[in-house]
Amino acid sequence: LLPDSAWPWTLSSIWHAVGEWAEVRWRSNSEVLRVVDQEVRRHHDFRVNTLSPWLGVASDLPGVLAGRQTLELFALGMHTGLLREPILALMELLPDVEFNIVAPCGGDKLCGRIPGILCQDRDPLFAELILTHMYKKNLNSYQNMHADFIENFPLMRNKFIAFYREKMLAADILMCSEPLAFCSFFDGAGVPVVAYIGNGPGFYLASPVDRAIMVDSVQRLASQPQNTFIAMNMILAISSEREVDTRFVTLMPMARHLGSAMYSYNPDSMRGMGKLLVTKRVIASWDIRCMTQLLLLRAQVWISKVLKEMGLELASYSDGNSPVAEVYQIGELSPELRDVEAWSTFRACLVLPWDASGLNTYDIYALGLPMFIPDPLRFLPSFVYRSAGGSGLMRKPGPPVKPGQGTWGGIWRKLPSEFNESQPRVDKVLAGQGWDSWRIFTMLTDFGQLPHVRYITAFSDLIFQLLDIEGLKATSQSMITHHREMHADSRNSWACTLVRALAPIERRPSSE
């Protein structure tokens, strides 16, 4: 991709060929962005219409809570970072209230990098459920983060209720995150539910019958006025609307678990290119760190030649060449660089997204660490498409799958006998919808929506911008200013969510 490259195909020509092969009409950028803007407004309006009636009540939190000194939370989710976000948001709103948290899942590997709440050991009863009902191909099968599927989901739900019924009934709020299926464990408890999801609604569920049970429970829970179902981005909200026929509020993670490390960008080298952080590899067989390092080394002589032609002084370097950035990859960092504070010392971060929901992205933005991302209108779709295998977002949803005979009455009642049998795994059907649909998809991700992110269309873009340390510092300050504004808005949204759950009847808005 460098100017002297002998490769005969440009990325543009390759993707035009793909578009022709798929018989897709290529739309203009303005046409694509018009669709994106309409969808952004739709999600914004839904969040405002859902939460803004509660702003008046939320402004009087002490009055609503009536001197409450403790808050009992039952929190369920396999992803510590995702589940932390809503809990820390509530703690931020109630600094003088003691939080008693029951979290059966325990902490995952994030706790080694960012210690804090939810980092206790997994509850033995929940560990038994994991061993019995959840399958994962990798050897670290029983760590948190992404199982392949749940076997006999209804039976797992029944066991969970038997184990944790009393603790759930004693909670002020039931909180769930990954997977959405776990939220259905709360159906029928009569306790306010706050869901905060970071994965597709059918995550972990391989059986159509299991998915139908989840859909039925989530629809019922989401219809109750004290409950709030929230997705961390628009892509997940769209997926939930299509697969579950339920609207979710969108509320971006603010990386609250960073604590004092937030807004701490301070690169440790003012010369050359410094250190470059790269997000996890796009696909297992690609070593992104190695590839990036080799490209920088290949470009070194070319960079030096161009900079000399520009009249820039390089005499301070003994070989007359510009220095090459040291490239490091998240997930393969040495112990001294794993701590989040160490990330602030990098010059910038190269983000190569492989799906719509990378939590590391929000940490990086909150640090103020400048981010480089492939242009979402031109090159980002190719990274997302490869791992997604086709668009479940843009195709029209089929008719909902219904359970077998009988009516599902909630997990707190006896299960029909046909749901007690293990269901076979069903492969997910994927169907691509064309290049312009993927451009809309990537523009609706937070990679395409966050301002002050730097987009690149060629590797040479990255090289020259890494050398501009003052420009990167200015970008960092813009990121920090914007994040502070988003944080204030997020705080109001979580305050409305809290009073939706806990406000007594006489304090609830008339619209509810």
Side-chain angles (χ1 to χ4, degrees), residues 342-357:
W343 292 13
S344 295
T345 67
F346 283 77
R347 177 72 61 89
C349 181
L350 174 61
V351 179
L352 301 176
W354 65 351
D355 61 28
S357 307

Side-chain angles (χ1 to χ4, degrees), residues 183-489:
C183 299
S184 68
F185 292 2
F186 303 154
D187 187 13
V191 178
V193 174
V194 174
Y196 191 64
I197 67 164
N199 295 98
F203 210 47
Y204 292 31
L205 298 181
S207 161
V209 173
D210 290 351
R211 288 186 178 226
I213 293 171
M214 178 273 294
V215 167
D216 186 59
S217 284
V218 169
Q219 287 178 344
R220 184 164 41 253
L221 287 167
S223 69
Q224 297 166 10
Q226 75 273 26
N227 299 339
T228 308
F229 277 67
I230 303 171
M232 62 182 271
N233 58 45
M234 286 185 289
I235 297 299
L236 293 173
I238 294 170
S239 298
S240 299
E241 185 177 0
R242 293 195 170 227
E243 295 184 36
V244 187
D245 194 23
T246 300
R247 295 291 303 273
F248 280 43
V249 171
T250 52
L251 199 52
M252 186 184 300
M254 290 291 102
R256 288 174 166 88
H257 61 189
L258 295 183
S260 60
M262 194 177 288
Y263 313 142
S264 60
Y265 178 62
N266 186 28
D268 59 5
S269 174
M270 298 297 108
R271 299 175 61 196
M273 294 184 184
K275 300 198 302 287
L276 177 65
L277 187 64
V278 180
T279 57
K280 62 185 178 182
R281 59 192 51 167
V282 179
I283 193 167
S285 60
W286 296 356
D287 190 336
I288 296 297
R289 188 211 63 79
C290 178
M291 292 168 62
T292 305
Q293 190 74 76
L294 288 175
L295 281 167
L296 286 168
L297 288 169
R298 171 67 180 85
Q300 185 179 30
V301 175
W302 172 73
I303 297 169
S304 301
K305 179 181 177 181
V306 172
L307 291 178
K308 288 176 182 177
E309 291 174 353
M310 296 171 61
L312 299 181
E313 180 61 48
L314 295 174
S316 57
Y317 306 111
S318 59
D319 60 359
N321 289 325
S322 63
V324 174
E326 301 173 63
V327 183
Y328 299 85
Q329 181 174 300
I330 293 175
E332 297 180 354
L333 296 171
S334 57
E336 66 273 12
L337 294 177
R338 289 174 191 164
D339 192 85
V340 69
E341 284 87 353
W343 292 13
S344 295
T345 67
F346 283 77
R347 177 72 61 89
C349 181
L350 174 61
V351 179
L352 301 176
W354 65 351
D355 61 28
S357 307
L359 277 175
N360 281 332
T361 305
Y362 304 104
D363 292 350
I364 293 164
Y365 199 85
L367 289 172
L369 178 61
M371 299 164 58
F372 293 94
I373 296 179
D375 188 300
L377 275 174
R378 296 177 63 186
F379 297 118
L380 182 54
S382 63
F383 290 94
V384 179
Y385 185 89
R386 184 177 181 90
S387 66
S391 176
L393 173 71
M394 299 302 171
R395 65 175 180 266
K396 294 181 180 180
V401 179
K402 297 295 184 183
Q405 300 296 320
T407 301
W408 179 247
I411 58 172
W412 296 77
R413 305 175 189 174
K414 185 177 180 181
L415 281 168
S417 60
E418 62 265 26
F419 291 136
N420 288 328
E421 298 179 3
S422 175
Q423 300 295 333
R425 184 174 183 180
V426 177
D427 290 333
K428 188 176 181 181
V429 178
L430 299 170
Q433 293 293 309
W435 185 245
D436 284 322
S437 292
W438 280 104
R439 296 206 298 160
I440 293 169
F441 179 98
T442 53
M443 283 302 301
L444 287 172
T445 67
D446 289 331
F447 304 114
Q449 288 295 312
L450 283 170
H452 315 302
V453 170
R454 294 194 176 200
Y455 298 137
I456 57 175
T457 58
F459 195 72
S460 54
D461 293 348
L462 174 66
I463 291 171
F464 283 109
Q465 293 183 68
L466 282 175
L467 293 167
D468 180 17
I469 183 64
E470 294 304 320
L472 292 173
K473 287 182 177 180
T475 294
S476 175
Q477 284 304 310
S478 297
M479 294 168 68
I480 290 170
T481 299
H482 177 248
H483 192 276
R484 292 184 192 276
E485 295 169 355
M486 289 197 301
H487 192 280
D489 184 57

